[in-house]
Amino acid sequence: MKATCGLKFNLIVGGKGDKYETIKEEIKNCELSDCVDLKGWIMGDEKLNTIARANIFVLPTYFEGYPNALLEAMACGCFCIASDIPANREWITDGENGLLFNMNDVNDLAEKIISISKNKIGKYRIGKKQWIPRTALHEESVYGKIKQYEKIEV
């Protein structure tokens, strides 16, 4: 990716799955240590500070019950690219407030990262209120349900 896309980048990877050591070795073998920081789990203020400094946040997950990390990134004003799964579609409208990529297509993800980096990143660095899509306010969404419960008088 480094040689073919023509972009200067720094990639910070958070999380620690069963392929952590393999990925760490691959970063070394591909001579990407100068631009890829494999941090493992990032928590608390360090996590929020890391996200807040990012231009792009990528959530490449196959399953997500509730995408907390995605919502944190959106609240920090990051441009978000996430796998096209139901939980992420509740918060991202593809092409409107982020991008969704096909889960099993690494080229689709790479193309979207490169495209945003080359063309549109400044356009999409907007305030956090604009990142919450109108669909999130719908009555069937989690946010919509919370708003309904707040209206109930005890």
Side-chain angles (χ1 to χ4, degrees), residues 21-34 36 38:
E21 292 301 323
T22 304
I23 293 169
K24 188 175 180 179
E25 191 63 30
E26 192 68 21
I27 291 167
K28 183 180 174 185
N29 292 341
C30 293
E31 299 179 359
L32 293 171
S33 298
D34 62 324
V36 178
L38 193 59

Side-chain angles (χ1 to χ4, degrees), residues 3-4 11 18 22 25 49 71 86 97 101 110 118 128 145 148:
T4 60
L11 176 65
D18 59 344
T22 304
E25 191 63 30
N49 289 332
L71 298 178
N97 67 330
F101 69 92
K118 284 185 173 180
K128 62 184 177 184
K145 292 293 182 195
Q148 284 179 331

